[in-house]
Amino acid sequence: MKGRNTLVWLCAITVGIVIKMTMGMAIHPAMFLFGDSLLDVGTNNHFHECTARADHPYYGIDYPDSIATGRFSNGLSSADLLAWYLNDYEFSPPPFLTLTESSATLQLELFHGTNFASAGSGILIDTGHAHFKRVVPLWEQIQQFATIRGNISQLLGNGTADLFLGISTCIVSVGSNDLFEHQNALVQNQTQPDQLIANLTATFAIHLQNLYDLGARKFGIIGVPPLGCCPKERYIDTQMGGNGSCVDAMNDLAQAFHASTESLLRNFSSTNQGVVYSLGNTYNIIMDFIDNRRASGFEVVETACCGNGTFNAESGCELGSKLCPNRKNYIFWDEFHPTEATARRAALTLAYADGPEFVTPMNFSTLAKAFTNM
Ligand SMILES: *[C@@H]1O[C@H](CO)[C@@H](O)[C@H](O)[C@H]1NC(C)=O
Ligand SMILES: *[C@@H]1O[C@H](CO)[C@@H](O)[C@H](O)[C@H]1NC(C)=O
Ligand SMILES: *[C@@H]1O[C@H](CO)[C@@H](O)[C@H](O)[C@H]1NC(C)=O
Ligand SMILES: *[C@@H]1O[C@H](CO)[C@@H](O)[C@H](O)[C@H]1NC(C)=O
Ligand SMILES: *[C@@H]1O[C@H](CO)[C@@H](O)[C@H](O)[C@H]1NC(C)=O
Ligand SMILES: *[C@@H]1O[C@H](CO)[C@@H](O)[C@H](O)[C@H]1NC(C)=O
Ligand SMILES: *[C@@H]1O[C@H](CO)[C@@H](O)[C@H](O)[C@H]1NC(C)=O
Ligand SMILES: *[C@@H]1O[C@H](CO)[C@@H](O)[C@H](O)[C@H]1NC(C)=O
């Protein structure tokens, strides 16, 4: 009799805790971020051998206390700004590899979300490997998400964990590195653009399905930017005898991949119950900054703020590089990446834009608020 009472009490306490957690924490949607350097907030710092790292000056020069955290920016990155506009977080959730260093931290932070993004990584498992030695491919990022899902399930139970993941937003920025990596093969006509796009899209579809099967329902996809207009590509254009204009072939590829992703997401959402998504047209957003530099508030749209040589893009940003003083006026921070000012304006556009030019079929703030039927 006594034993039975104890059992009843234990159950009551357990249920009490679960409900409290459900009301107090799990009911708030979290944010999970996947992909490449646009969203990496320090994942790659964990790999000694990795060369795609931003944990040295002048990265972070405008970050609080000028710390180089691994963000590929002079200050805050797109991950932080989206976390701010969509979830009221001051910063992005921490990297998975930082969270898992201590189980106390993990349990504390778990309900805000996790950042899995790794600079240099791509849709294809090999992307970034030869170049940067060690990155976390999207495939492995999703395995890490499965671990987090397991940890959440242990704390909340499977049903509540599903509810929690279902109302949380998954942000994905991927594809740029896959396209860059194949640039030479495309130029040399060893790879056909259509085949590359088809392969990337089909592989992306598998990744999204895996995320869905793990409980993700809300997908904020950040499309690839006009890759051909980054300072590095303008520099490459001059190397090929051009005058430093955008590399059309890379921009065409970026647009083709965007269109293909749009089709993929339509299919994906129609075949998987409960999926809601936003696709950000980063191509249009950045092109608009470049074409309307006055209206958008940028003065320098071709040259990187930090680097060296032609367009400040002959080498990466490092101690001793040329560094612009007026960083708010530049679209590009280094040879590939946007400044905080650009990331802020782009994140604002993704979050709140009206109409289909910049984000379809809904903006990211509407996505983040959506409650899906599971
Ligand atoms: C999270 O899950 C992993 C894999 O199951 C496990 O090794 C780890 O101990 C868990 N962490 C916590 C804090 O529960
Ligand atoms: C929760 O889900 C996991 C993995 O899907 C499964 O192994 C486990 O048995 C489930 N637990 C409960 C209590 O249903
Ligand atoms: C590129 O390769 C394809 C088949 O691989 C071939 O049909 C085409 O003629 C080649 N184009 C050029 C410009 O070499
Ligand atoms: C994409 O191409 C790679 C390498 O050629 C191949 O191994 C893979 O199976 C392809 N994936 C899809 C989904 O077509
Ligand atoms: C640079 O070259 C492109 C063609 O490759 C041309 O369309 C553009 O007008 C040129 N720009 C300048 C400033 O000469
Ligand atoms: C989406 O589905 C349509 C119709 O089944 C198909 O033609 C198209 O190729 C699919 N798109 C992608 C990207 O898989
Ligand atoms: C930048 O370029 C100049 C000359 O072009 C060179 O002297 C200098 O060492 C370079 N600095 C870095 C950090 O690469
Ligand atoms: C975002 O999208 C929603 C739904 O399409 C729309 O009502 C709203 O005006 C858009 N902009 C903002 C600022 O929310």
Side-chain angles (χ1 to χ4, degrees), residues 56-94:
H56 57 82
Y58 299 112
Y59 287 100
I61 189 166
D62 299 315
Y63 194 82
D65 299 324
S66 294
I67 299 172
T69 58
R71 288 165 171 78
F72 285 78
S73 170
N74 56 308
L76 297 175
S77 80
S78 303
D80 303 304
L81 296 159
L82 286 170
W84 172 254
Y85 292 127
L86 303 182
N87 280 45
D88 283 331
Y89 299 164
E90 204 176 342
F91 300 101
S92 161

Side-chain angles (χ1 to χ4, degrees), residues 201 260 263-264 267:
T201 307
S260 181
S263 165
L264 158 64
N267 292 1

